[in-house]
């Protein structure tokens, strides 16, 4: 019990032992060099750890598409092929359309092949289940003079979206104007994608490219598709059994003289554009600089720990190093002739040269 108490009330202090060994010296300096190189090259230069960062970017994007195309012998302008029309950061350019005109509310046959029937009993299986273009009634009705289809209640006639159409290839030469403004709230810093040197004449003639016009805000659709590593022809006419391509439906509603509503249903195949803005800003700050410098200086001590492990466990002469590094000193005086000195338990070999000076640093040499 008493020994536990005495062991608890002890004090440990650092003792300097200089080991003159080529092996340990090289390992120590190499480890220190690697640690310093990591902090200088990666932490400070590459990661810019001396800066405080702001990644909460605020962005406002405005877009405008220009160009004319021909589809089904009709000239198409921006109001015909761009949706939504507000010029937001997400928009679609329509490449082809399937139109079903003069639809009214009523009863009519379905248009898909799976609804081909010969009697009502076949159609009854679809009751209380959503069909492709309406609500099934359970009746089998004529589709034409030779084929019968299950009847639905909804907008009639039902859409037939298997019609083959040729995409509007002029889309490839359309241009997209993008105006972007960003703000970093931490630094209250605002910037746009318009350089002060950009003039109206330059805007009218430039198209973005990655070599000569990197700051031009006008992008050609064909170039954007190519930058995305896509083929415009395949993208505009993409339709197969697995993926029909990006498409959506919208309707234009009208009213007859007798008050009956009717509509024109449009199924549009389009290329969708998402303008995404991301970024971060950095500014020098003393706090992260000091934190990372302290971390760097502290990490240099890893070399000392590694060298101690090698010295204490793997190299020859480990016992004498332990004897010099770990010394137990009691507070009982040796005798009256050695005032200020205390009993020390040391284990030293006679074949090792040891030097000491008044600073308390011991030197163990392994050189011959």
């Amino acid at each position: 019990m008493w020994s536990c108490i005495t062991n608890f009330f002890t004090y440990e202090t650092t003792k300097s032992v200089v080991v003159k060994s080529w092996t340990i010296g090289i390992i120590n300096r190499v480890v220190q060099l690697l640690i310093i190189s990591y902090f200088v090259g990666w932490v400070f230069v590459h990661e810019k750890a001396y800066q405080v960062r702001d990644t909460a970017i605020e962005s406002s994007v405005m877009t405008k598409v220009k160009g004319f195309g021909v589809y089904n012998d009709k000239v198409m302008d921006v109001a015909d092929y761009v949706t939504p029309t507000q010029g937001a950061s997400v928009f679609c350019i329509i490449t082809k359309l399937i139109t079903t005109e003069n639809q009214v509310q009523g009863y009519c046959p379905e248009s898909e092949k799976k609804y081909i029937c010969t009697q009502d009993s076949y159609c009854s299986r679809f009751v209380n289940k959503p069909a492709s273009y309406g609500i099934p009634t359970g009746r089998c009705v004529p589709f034409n003079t030779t084929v019968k289809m299950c009847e639905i209640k909804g907008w009639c006639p039902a859409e037939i979206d298997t019609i083959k159409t040729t995409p509007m290839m002029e889309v490839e030469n359309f241009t997209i104007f993008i105006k972007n403004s960003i703000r970093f709230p931490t630094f209250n810093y605002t910037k746009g994608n318009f350089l002060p040197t950009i003039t109206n004449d330059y805007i009218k003639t430039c198209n973005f490219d990655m070599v000569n016009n990197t700051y031009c805000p006008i992008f050609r659709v064909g170039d954007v598709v190519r930058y995305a590593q896509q083929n415009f022809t395949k993208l505009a006419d993409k339709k197969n059994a697995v993926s029909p391509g990006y498409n959506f439906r919208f309707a234009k509603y009208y009213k007859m003289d007798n008050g009956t509503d009717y509509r024109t249903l449009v199924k549009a195949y389009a290329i969708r554009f998402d303008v995404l803005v991301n970024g971060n800003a950095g500014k020098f700050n003393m706090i992260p600089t000091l934190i990372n410098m302290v971390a760097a200086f502290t990490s240099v001590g890893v070399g000392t720990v590694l060298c101690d492990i090698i010295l204490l466990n793997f190299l020859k002469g480990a016992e004498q190093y332990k004897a010099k590094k770990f010394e137990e000193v009691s507070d009982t005086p040796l005798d009256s002739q050695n005032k200020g000195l205390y009993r020390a338990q040391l284990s030293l070999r006679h074949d090792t040269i040891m030097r000491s000076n008044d600073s308390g640093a011991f030197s163990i040499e392994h050189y011959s």
Side-chain angles (χ1 to χ4, degrees):
M1 182 63 181
W2 177 251
S3 62
C4 294
I5 296 175
T6 55
N7 289 335
F8 178 76
F9 291 101
T10 58
Y11 168 71
E12 295 181 0
T13 186
T14 304
K15 181 178 181 181
S16 178
V17 180
V18 179
V19 180
K20 295 185 177 181
S21 168
W22 284 106
T23 303
I24 295 300
I26 292 174
I27 292 174
N28 182 42
R29 297 309 179 192
V30 168
V31 172
Q32 289 178 346
L33 180 62
L34 290 175
I35 293 173
I36 293 173
S37 300
Y38 165 76
F39 274 93
V40 173
W42 178 262
V43 176
F44 285 98
V45 176
H46 186 271
E47 294 295 320
K48 295 180 174 59
Y50 54 85
Q51 295 180 339
V52 59
R53 314 295 295 184
D54 182 10
T55 58
I57 185 173
E58 298 175 354
S59 174
S60 176
V61 177
M62 185 196 76
T63 61
K64 182 181 291 185
V65 181
K66 286 187 177 182
F68 293 93
V70 178
Y71 185 78
N72 288 343
D73 296 328
K74 295 180 180 179
V75 177
M76 307 280 284
D77 61 14
V78 176
D80 297 317
Y81 59 74
V82 173
T83 182
T85 59
Q86 290 82 6
S89 60
V90 178
F91 61 94
C92 301
I93 298 179
I94 297 172
T95 58
K96 62 180 181 177
L97 303 167
I98 296 177
T99 304
T100 306
E101 297 179 340
N102 300 323
Q103 284 188 320
V104 296
Q105 286 286 320
Y107 295 88
C108 58
E110 262 283 5
S111 60
E112 292 193 354
K113 292 182 178 180
K114 68 177 182 179
Y115 295 103
I116 296 176
C117 61
T118 55
Q119 52 188 357
D120 293 346
S121 59
Y122 175 82
C123 296
S124 61
R125 71 179 66 182
F126 300 110
V127 176
N128 297 326
K129 296 179 181 179
S132 298
Y133 302 109
I135 300 175
T137 62
R139 292 194 299 267
C140 184
V141 297
F143 180 77
N144 52 37
T145 57
T146 59
V147 179
K148 287 186 175 182
M149 305 283 283
C150 295
E151 186 184 54
I152 59 168
K153 179 182 179 182
W155 288 97
C156 297
E159 178 189 58
I160 301 175
D161 64 351
T162 56
I163 300 173
K164 292 184 179 181
T165 59
T166 302
M168 184 169 56
M169 301 306 297
E170 291 84 358
V171 173
E172 187 174 10
N173 294 316
F174 291 175
T175 59
I176 306 170
F177 171 79
I178 300 177
K179 186 176 182 180
N180 177 37
S181 177
I182 61 173
R183 178 177 178 269
F184 292 98
T186 300
F187 308 127
N188 194 25
Y189 178 77
T190 303
K191 189 175 179 63
N193 64 330
F194 272 66
L195 295 180
T197 56
I198 291 180
T199 62
N200 290 332
D201 294 335
Y202 176 76
I203 292 293
K204 292 177 181 179
T205 58
C206 77
N207 276 329
F208 174 88
D209 68 75
M210 293 185 176
V211 179
N212 300 317
N213 295 298
T214 55
Y215 293 101
C216 178
I218 298 176
F219 300 80
R220 181 174 167 270
V221 172
D223 294 336
V224 174
V225 173
R226 188 175 68 254
Y227 295 148
Q229 300 180 351
Q230 299 291 325
N231 181 278
F232 176 80
T233 303
K234 294 180 180 179
L235 189 65
D237 194 29
K238 186 176 181 181
K239 186 173 182 181
N240 53 59
V242 179
S243 175
Y246 178 74
N247 64 84
F248 56 92
R249 290 177 173 85
F250 62 93
K252 299 177 181 179
Y253 293 89
Y254 309 94
K255 190 179 289 289
M256 298 180 184
D257 294 336
N258 60 4
T260 303
D261 292 326
Y262 71 100
R263 74 177 187 178
T264 296
L265 178 65
V266 179
K267 182 177 182 180
Y269 291 84
I271 301 175
R272 171 170 166 159
F273 295 84
D274 291 60
V275 182
L276 306 177
V277 180
N278 58 70
N280 63 81
K283 184 178 180 181
F284 175 79
N285 189 278
M286 186 58 67
I287 294 177
T289 303
L290 292 176
I291 291 175
N292 285 282
M293 288 183 64
V294 171
F297 292 139
T298 304
S299 299
V300 172
V302 173
T304 304
V305 176
L306 179 62
C307 291
D308 279 348
I309 294 174
I310 296 174
L311 274 172
L312 293 171
N313 298 279
F314 301 105
L315 289 185
K316 294 180 180 180
E319 293 298 327
Q320 67 186 29
Y321 178 69
K322 290 179 182 178
K324 297 302 296 182
K325 181 174 179 61
F326 304 107
E327 181 177 347
E328 182 178 330
V329 180
S330 64
D331 57 357
T332 304
L334 290 175
D335 50 42
S336 59
Q337 297 178 354
N338 296 325
K339 293 182 180 180
L341 298 179
Y342 299 90
R343 184 186 303 118
Q345 299 175 357
L346 304 176
S347 176
L348 305 176
R349 295 187 178 181
H350 298 290
D351 56 352
T352 303
I353 302 174
M354 294 163 290
R355 298 175 182 174
S356 64
N357 50 44
D358 293 337
S359 65
F362 288 85
S363 176
I364 302 178
E365 297 186 14
H366 291 280
Y367 306 122
S368 57

